[in-house]
Amino acid sequence: AMLKDLAQLMPATAGMRRWGAAALDLSYVAAGRYEGFWGRELKAWDIAAGLLLVKEAGGMVEGLREGQDPLETGSILATNTLLFGQVSKLLRG
């Protein structure tokens, strides 16, 4: 699934980085260092604090599938408000 996601996103971006820790990646979205983050099959303890940081910073956070709770499914999409529609369209099909 991640390779399929990359195939959708790579042509539409200038580049991608991943440090390997969802909490760090989400905090970078909140700080404006990253424009977005997505992940699949993550644990709630890996994303809960970062999810809150992004929301409090004014970003958008949802499940990868519309209407899903990322804390329940472990699949998350977080971006700044300007890019959420574009990124979600690419990842959600």
Side-chain angles (χ1 to χ4, degrees):
M2 194 62 100
L3 291 175
K4 183 179 175 184
D5 293 343
L6 286 169
Q8 293 295 319
L9 291 172
M10 290 295 288
T13 66
M16 293 191 185
R17 290 195 171 122
R18 180 87 200 267
W19 291 105
L24 179 61
D25 291 336
L26 286 165
S27 65
Y28 281 2
V29 173
R33 292 182 183 142
Y34 287 177
E35 292 177 332
F37 170 81
W38 87 100
R40 295 179 182 273
E41 300 176 21
L42 302 170
K43 300 295 183 192
W45 55 80
D46 291 325
I47 59 175
L51 182 149
L52 181 61
L53 287 171
V54 172
K55 285 184 176 182
E56 290 294 317
M60 295 187 66
V61 178
E62 288 185 8
L64 274 178
R65 292 187 185 259
E66 197 167 0
Q68 287 185 336
D69 181 352
L71 291 175
E72 290 179 10
T73 64
S75 295
I76 186 171
L77 172 60
T79 72
N80 62 44
T81 55
L82 297 174
L83 292 179
F84 191 84
Q86 295 169 329
V87 176
S88 65
K89 184 177 179 181
L90 289 170
L91 288 174
R92 292 175 175 167

